[in-house]
Amino acid sequence: MDWESLISCGSFARKLIIKGIDTHEDARLAVEHGFDGILVSNHGGRATETLRSTLEALPEVVAEAGGRIPVFVDGGSAAGPIYSKLSLLARKRLA
């Protein structure tokens, strides 16, 4: 799916969260085009599982969103300590 197709989804009356964002460039586009949230994920249809983890992508996406829209995480955390690290990264970036 390209950004032109995604932008046309913005006409829905409900909140729209975009999944699969893992770069600051795409986070910027999501904010600019009025999406209501970002779901950082690297496993949409198993197409990107060989790329960097959500833990690695999260800081730049959260920084680019800049508190303008919420950022959520899907995957990239198989163990409890990783959840703690994700939470700390998110809080550090939002502070």
Side-chain angles (χ1 to χ4, degrees):
M1 193 171 251
D2 60 23
W3 277 100
E4 188 174 319
S5 299
L6 290 169
I7 293 165
S8 68
C9 294
S11 61
F12 288 109
R14 298 182 181 189
K15 299 282 184 184
L16 193 58
I17 296 173
I18 186 167
K19 179 180 178 177
I21 300 300
D22 65 357
T23 67
H24 67 91
E25 295 92 350
D26 283 339
R28 179 181 47 79
L29 288 169
V31 171
E32 286 177 1
H33 293 297
F35 284 87
D36 299 299
I38 294 172
L39 181 58
V40 178
S41 175
N42 73 338
H43 66 278
R46 301 200 178 275
T48 61
E49 284 187 349
T50 59
L51 300 177
R52 65 191 183 146
S53 71
T54 53
L55 183 60
E56 293 169 315
L58 183 64
E60 75 176 77
V61 172
V62 170
E64 188 65 42
R68 295 172 285 181
I69 60 175
V71 177
F72 306 95
V73 178
D74 178 15
S77 48
I82 302 297
Y83 286 113
S84 297
K85 190 168 185 178
L86 284 168
S87 178
L88 290 171
L89 277 171
R91 276 188 251 151
K92 180 179 177 186
R93 295 293 178 171
L94 294 174

